[in-house]
Amino acid sequence: DGSVLAMANYPSFDPNRVGDANPEDIGNRAITDPYTPGSVQKALTFSALFDAGIVKPEDVIKLPATVKSGNYQIGDAWRHGKVDVYVRGIFAKSSNVGTVLLSRKMDKNALLNYYKSFGLGQKTGIGLPGESVGILPNNDFPDYTRDGVAFGGSGVAVTAIQEAAAIAAIANGGVYNQPYLLQYRTDSEGNVEELTPQTSHRVVSEEAAEQVLSLMEAMQVNTVSDVFDIPGYRTGTKTGTTKKFDNSCRCYKGFISSVVGVAPIEDPQLLTYIVIDDPQTETSGQEAAGPVYQDIMSLALQRYAVRPSGQESPKLPIFPPK
């Protein structure tokens, strides 16, 4: 519903000894620091594609090894030649190639309008100081920029609160709620004033949102490790891994690794989003951010007494039978 139950940054500082803090650790990075979102962005792209009726999860796509975009070839993190895959599998396997090919079926300005409706390229209005609008291209953007934005690899930058609110719209049946921090306040005379989000609007249909949640569950189910498993709950996840551009050397240096998850998938109550800037041991969203996600989501579901699913996740196929 847009309520922010917890927001944390690390490294942090002792508010009783601000003078001893590293200046870089005083701000709220989830509000102020935009970054390239990586494949978490695919949840928004697929929402738009489903809402526009361009593809369905069970459609079969002939996936090449790479796809040309501008002067470069875009590939996937998993090595493959030409292969048939369900649209569901493109998402579950986080195929950049497949996402680019599917996004090209849609008018690029129509796709851009979906991203805007998801809240990208603008402040969320959460009310905290220093909030960034991130980066979103203008209407005259070139085709290769559309490709990069579609799979979250380039051409777009978000803040953590922007992306969390956008994915929450999918979990909320396609309706975007403005994120907020305060539920109510009491004045000096004891009068209680409810403070609710100022705005909400539909971004995609309920059916399109349910289809993307199904894709997120397919990714969780088809992940080889148990890093996204929450015992007793059906969940859905999407990872993101992207290279960081360093202006000082005009080169790529380091990574941004992330994972977003929703639980329980059949009746979403909580969303958890983890973003790690420049992980030092593992670089993939699954390896770097997955354990943090698992810990926090497990704790939150218990903390807010969310009813367990009571059933197992379906094992939906991601590749068609040969």
Side-chain angles (χ1 to χ4, degrees), residues 108-159:
K108 62 183 179 182
N109 286 316
L111 184 58
L112 181 64
N113 287 334
Y114 274 104
Y115 296 137
K116 290 178 179 178
S117 190
F118 272 117
L120 303 194
Q122 57 201 291
K123 294 182 179 180
T124 65
I126 196 170
L128 293 174
E131 183 176 7
S132 171
V133 299
I135 298 172
L136 198 64
N138 296 321
N139 285 347
D140 58 350
F141 63 115
D143 290 348
Y144 63 80
T145 298
R146 182 265 319 280
D147 295 343
V149 174
F151 73 91
S154 62
V156 60
V158 302
T159 62

Side-chain angles (χ1 to χ4, degrees), residues 65-82:
T66 63
V67 60
K68 184 173 172 46
S69 179
N71 295 323
Y72 299 93
Q73 291 286 337
I74 293 174
D76 289 328
W78 53 290
R79 302 182 69 177
H80 61 84
K82 293 181 180 179

Side-chain angles (χ1 to χ4, degrees), residues 29-30 32-38 40 132 134-135 152 156-164 242 244 256-258 273-277:
R29 300 181 188 88
T32 62
D33 291 12
Y35 56 91
T36 306
V40 170
S132 171
I135 298 172
V156 60
V158 302
T159 62
I161 190 63
Q162 272 183 331
E163 197 78 344
T242 186
K244 292 174 58 178
I256 296 285
S257 302
S258 61
Y273 185 34
I274 308 298
V275 183
I276 299 182
D277 183 1

